[in-house]
Amino acid sequence: MQIVNLTPHALNLMPEGPDGPTVTIPPSGIVARCVTYRVQVDTITANGISVPVNQTRFSEVFDLPEPQPDTIYVVSAIVAQAVPHRPDVFIVDDTVRDEQGRIIGARALAHV
């Protein structure tokens, strides 16, 4: 099985945690993304001023390759949510953090 990383960051798979073996999947150079737009859904008044309340919405996905045999794609959660019908699209799951709380890897992959 080939893993294609369609995120801008290296993917460190650590199925046994930070002390076990790590496999690093470098970024492919292609980043799958969704078109993002904002819609004003409300207005609130706070401290004497009127503040718009927006909702971020996502539409079409671009730079996600067509399914290929024996290939999976790791993408952002937003992209994965836009294509729930794609069994070859995954996100990282069960993240591993360093002592400062930064994500350094993942123990698993997941579907959304």
Side-chain angles (χ1 to χ4, degrees):
M1 182 71 62
Q2 177 184 359
I3 299 173
V4 178
N5 180 358
L6 297 177
T7 76
H9 312 286
L11 169 59
N12 296 314
L13 294 176
M14 307 170 157
E16 297 176 25
D19 298 325
T22 299
V23 174
T24 299
I25 312 296
S28 67
I30 299 170
V31 178
R33 300 220 184 258
C34 284
V35 173
T36 305
Y37 61 98
R38 288 180 192 80
V39 175
Q40 185 173 339
V41 295
D42 201 358
T43 303
I44 62 168
T45 301
N47 298 332
I49 61 169
S50 181
V51 179
V53 176
N54 294 334
Q55 184 178 66
T56 302
R57 296 186 181 166
F58 305 97
S59 62
E60 78 179 277
V61 174
F62 57 96
D63 290 334
L64 177 61
E66 292 297 318
Q68 298 295 319
D70 298 319
T71 302
I72 64 170
Y73 301 102
V74 178
V75 300
S76 70
I78 291 169
V79 170
Q81 289 172 9
V83 292
H85 60 281
R86 292 274 305 259
D88 60 331
V89 173
F90 293 81
I91 60 171
V92 296
D93 191 37
D94 196 9
T95 55
V96 178
R97 296 180 181 269
D98 67 12
E99 53 278 346
Q100 282 83 39
R102 296 176 296 218
I103 295 174
I104 59 170
R107 291 184 186 95
L109 297 175
H111 288 289
V112 294

